[in-house]
Amino acid sequence: MAALDPVTLQILKSHFEAAAESMAFTLLRTAHSAFVKETEDFTSGLTTPCGQTFASPKDLGATWFIGLDYKGAIDAVADYKPGDICITNDPYSGYVCTHAPDIHLWMPVFHEDRLICFAVGHIHNTDMGGAVPASLSRALTEVQQEGIRIPPMKLVEAGVMDESVLRIMLRNVRMPDQNWGDLKAQIASLKTGERKIREAVARFGVDTVCAATYGVLDLAEKQARQLFASMQDGDYDFTDYIDEDSPGGIPCRLKLSVKVRGDEAVFDFTGSDPQLQSALNMPTGGLPRHILPLVGYNYVVYSLDRTVALNMGLLRPVQCILPEGSVVNPVYPAATGMRSLTCARIQGMVIGAFSRAMPDRLPAGPAGGGGILNVRTTDSRTGRLAMASINPITGGGGGSSFEDGQDGSNSFLKNTPVEITEAEVPIRVRSYELVPDSGGPGRYRGGLAAQMTFQMFTPNSVVTARNRDRVRFSCWGLEGGLPGSTCSFQRANGNTKPEDLGNTDVVRCGPGDVLTISAAGAGGWGDPFERPVQDVLGDVLGGKVTEGGARAYGVVVKDGVVDEAATEALRSAPRERIKGMTFDPERLSFERIWSDAVWDRLSQQLFALPVEWRFFVKHELFAAVNADGAADRDPVAALERAFVNVLAQYPQILPRQLEDAA
């Protein structure tokens, strides 16, 4: 296909991006559920005939899905015709959908008999049926519990809706009117994209438009390669944890090594935990450029070069190593509903790995840990069942070398006004605010966490708060900045002592129950004692830092006034100066036994076993090592002893795996 001149390519790049924005705006304005029309958990875009996304919105919807690959889903359907619209929400069919609430649609766009592209997009449905309202919980263990699954198939054929598919889906969900309304909005969005592409063909010609769909991918690839070429070759490693690998469980380790060589990079996730008996698994099919492990990479590229073309071409210089049977590449029928928590943690890890290479250009640790809240209750005035997403409770963004982190920010998710929340479901929001002192202290402070308190009024109500985490381990500070705070979730009723719900993500409530949920805070950047005193005072007067919290910056404030003598004494006293990354005390204490060396050996042992044994054996080994009185002196030896005992206790593990593991 002939190359286009740079001017024409830029014009069509802008036209494609505007088309994707128009698709998103159509969806936003016509959707029914709050999670789509307010929170904006949706995508819209255009792909090549082979499924590579070449245009996405910059400001609307789920911007972390830039570069989504529809090839697996597109190839599963044969004989495309004008007027067809296809559908899937199955995480294991083509790996375009990554958990059951995400319904993906794609529509071929033809010029005469020539397939030009596909108009595509997804929405996160508030509910797709399954074991719990909103379909998602860490406690679910297999994908069948997470709602109805639709394999790639035609929903509309030559303009005619397949009513049987529609009836089956709507019969299995809790709020069918919402799902049907959002589905119609999706279809309208695709037709907007089709119209915009036909306008481009009428203006520029079909050959030029087709050439441009591939040309913008080449442009993005070139820009990404230039970025890698400007970096020093090296291996940039980062490890982080999810608090619990199952309800009340033990930590889940995620390990990443970014290997930069020339103008390319490999993202190696070897050493990450085996797939889990919970819904935290991230379904990638082992695809080397699957979007989920590369969300953070896209954010890094866009942070370093705001001119890049946001499309799948950015992914061409990179590839991922995703071990089969691991949390980042589970095998069927592992549950995947909470993959967004794992993806968000990996997003931060990618930023952390690149921060080791360029700490002056990237921020400290993002907060994470906030729940995405859904309420299912009954309106006592009407007897009507009510269910809606009420708000993402968001943490802050990490501080950087030139500014404080954003307060209460969480990737692409938008705030839902309290008035909308109370109109959607009969609850009362008592407060919605930022948490003082939650941002990590630094020369540039980490962003503060958001917190919401709300009250339920009817029995048999259910609140789901998916993505709950960071109760145990917080994020990290950079270049001497300190970690942000952990998060919390509490329930109270009347004068009873509040109940600490930890990382619980499904809460059954009675009338009068009051829930308070907060996210974590983000990490600070740079030495806190180097933050200007007046900036600290401004934070105190603005309610972002308490007078007690100001001491972490070496500033003494009493009754809203800086005590200059006490501040000078505090700042001039001898103290340890920290460089590089700073982790929270809980993580440092945990790693005194569970160091990288111990985890690496544990990973070798587990991956030598059959998939179905790995999660179970991991828990057995953790319990044995933590109970071993000599583990603090030689944890590797304690692990070896524990592994020998487990193998002896369960001889039904296949002999071949026993030999390999030993």
Side-chain angles (χ1 to χ4, degrees), residues 240-530:
D240 206 350
Y241 307 93
I242 298 172
D243 286 347
E244 300 172 351
D245 61 4
S246 54
I250 56 182
C252 169
R253 181 174 81 152
L254 298 166
K255 185 175 182 180
L256 168 65
S257 178
V258 178
K259 306 176 188 298
V260 178
R261 302 291 187 273
D263 62 356
E264 296 182 340
V266 173
F267 289 63
D268 188 351
F269 289 89
T270 300
S272 296
D273 261 14
Q275 70 184 59
L276 309 177
Q277 286 293 308
S278 70
L280 295 167
N281 300 294
M282 201 170 76
T284 63
L287 299 175
R289 294 179 180 85
H290 196 282
I291 189 58
L292 286 185
L294 293 173
V295 168
Y297 160 74
N298 278 339
Y299 283 167
V300 166
V301 172
Y302 189 54
S303 296
L304 297 174
D305 182 0
R306 300 298 293 273
T307 70
V308 295
L310 297 178
N311 61 53
M312 196 176 171
L314 294 178
L315 309 186
R316 289 178 178 173
V318 302
Q319 59 177 322
C320 296
I321 297 174
L322 303 161
E324 185 176 28
S326 71
V327 67
V328 295
N329 180 16
V331 297
Y332 176 86
T336 67
M338 296 279 284
R339 56 79 176 131
S340 48
L341 194 165
T342 306
C343 183
R345 185 67 70 250
I346 289 175
Q347 172 189 323
M349 292 169 58
V350 172
I351 294 172
F354 278 95
S355 294
R356 296 190 186 279
M358 45 185 73
D360 292 342
R361 300 182 65 188
L362 291 170
I372 299 176
L373 296 178
N374 291 272
V375 171
R376 191 211 68 186
T377 187
T378 304
D379 189 334
S380 295
R381 298 165 299 180
T382 64
R384 176 182 64 89
L385 178 67
M387 182 173 177
S389 170
I390 65 172
N391 228 317
I393 304 302
T394 55
S400 66
S401 63
F402 54 90
E403 64 180 358
D404 293 343
Q406 291 186 338
D407 298 324
S409 67
N410 184 15
S411 186
F412 62 88
L413 297 175
K414 308 300 193 298
N415 173 70
T416 301
V418 168
E419 295 82 358
I420 298 294
T421 293
E422 294 182 336
E424 291 279 337
V425 284
I427 65 172
R428 179 176 300 147
V429 178
R430 289 187 166 187
S431 64
Y432 186 33
E433 57 195 340
L434 297 173
V435 181
D437 293 337
S438 56
R443 169 64 181 85
Y444 294 100
R445 177 180 45 76
L448 302 182
Q451 177 174 280
M452 177 183 282
T453 299
F454 60 98
Q455 187 172 16
M456 311 299 295
F457 292 101
T458 56
N460 304 315
S461 298
V462 179
V463 174
T464 61
R466 68 179 173 99
N467 291 5
R468 294 279 303 125
D469 197 47
R470 293 295 196 200
V471 168
R472 181 174 183 183
F473 303 114
S474 67
C475 64
W476 65 93
L478 191 59
E479 293 299 285
L482 301 182
S485 68
T486 53
C487 61
S488 66
F489 195 15
Q490 295 184 328
R491 174 173 56 186
N493 192 313
N495 295 321
T496 61
K497 182 180 179 181
E499 174 189 3
D500 185 354
L501 298 172
N503 279 318
T504 302
D505 59 17
V506 178
V507 184
R508 301 189 182 277
C509 300
D513 281 0
V514 176
L515 299 176
T516 299
I517 183 170
S518 71
W525 193 99
D527 187 346
F529 279 39
E530 294 179 2

Side-chain angles (χ1 to χ4, degrees), residues 28 34-43 59-63 412-414 416:
L28 182 69
F35 205 51
V36 178
K37 67 186 180 183
E38 296 290 342
T39 307
E40 296 188 22
D41 195 345
F42 66 82
T43 59
D59 299 314
L60 295 174
T63 54
F412 62 88
L413 297 175
K414 308 300 193 298
T416 301

Side-chain angles (χ1 to χ4, degrees), residues 60-71:
L60 295 174
T63 54
W64 72 348
F65 276 143
I66 300 299
L68 197 59
D69 188 354
Y70 274 79
K71 177 176 172 54

Side-chain angles (χ1 to χ4, degrees), residues 38-277:
E38 296 290 342
T39 307
E40 296 188 22
D41 195 345
F42 66 82
T43 59
S44 60
L46 300 166
T47 81
T48 63
C50 60
Q52 294 188 325
T53 300
F54 64 84
S56 301
K58 285 188 174 181
D59 299 314
L60 295 174
T63 54
W64 72 348
F65 276 143
I66 300 299
L68 197 59
D69 188 354
Y70 274 79
K71 177 176 172 54
I74 288 172
D75 289 350
V77 178
D79 190 26
Y80 288 100
K81 299 183 294 291
D84 288 350
I85 297 176
C86 299
I87 184 171
T88 190
N89 75 322
D90 181 13
Y92 290 100
S93 293
Y95 298 97
V96 62
C97 174
T98 53
H99 62 182
D102 286 357
I103 282 189
H104 287 259
L105 299 184
W106 61 101
M107 175 182 185
V109 179
F110 288 89
H111 175 73
E112 298 175 348
D113 293 331
R114 183 173 180 178
L115 177 59
I116 303 171
C117 66
F118 284 91
V120 302
H122 97 280
I123 61 167
H124 181 108
N125 288 267
T126 302
D127 179 82
M128 283 300 291
V132 300
S135 306
L136 304 177
S137 169
R138 188 191 312 244
L140 304 182
T141 59
E142 54 190 3
V143 70
Q144 288 84 359
Q145 298 168 327
E146 298 177 323
I148 184 172
R149 291 184 298 139
I150 304 169
M153 62 191 304
K154 290 185 180 181
L155 175 67
V156 179
E157 186 164 7
V160 179
M161 176 78 71
D162 187 337
E163 298 289 343
S164 62
V165 175
L166 189 63
R167 285 198 303 271
I168 292 170
M169 181 184 77
L170 298 182
R171 182 61 61 91
N172 281 277
V173 302
R174 290 177 173 85
M175 299 295 290
D177 289 346
Q178 277 191 12
N179 292 61
W180 176 223
D182 284 349
L183 187 65
K184 288 186 288 185
Q186 276 187 279
I187 292 171
S189 171
L190 300 186
K191 291 184 176 180
T192 297
E194 179 187 41
R195 185 176 70 252
K196 292 295 183 181
I197 288 298
R198 287 180 174 171
E199 290 173 0
V201 169
R203 180 177 177 185
F204 297 99
V206 65
D207 290 337
T208 299
V209 169
C210 288
T213 63
Y214 292 94
V216 294
L217 293 168
D218 295 339
L219 175 62
E221 177 185 2
K222 179 181 177 181
Q223 291 172 314
R225 289 189 182 279
Q226 288 172 342
L227 171 65
F228 282 119
S230 70
M231 293 177 58
Q232 184 175 352
D233 284 1
D235 295 353
Y236 304 102
D237 300 339
F238 202 87
T239 298
D240 206 350
Y241 307 93
I242 298 172
D243 286 347
E244 300 172 351
D245 61 4
S246 54
I250 56 182
C252 169
R253 181 174 81 152
L254 298 166
K255 185 175 182 180
L256 168 65
S257 178
V258 178
K259 306 176 188 298
V260 178
R261 302 291 187 273
D263 62 356
E264 296 182 340
V266 173
F267 289 63
D268 188 351
F269 289 89
T270 300
S272 296
D273 261 14
Q275 70 184 59
L276 309 177
Q277 286 293 308

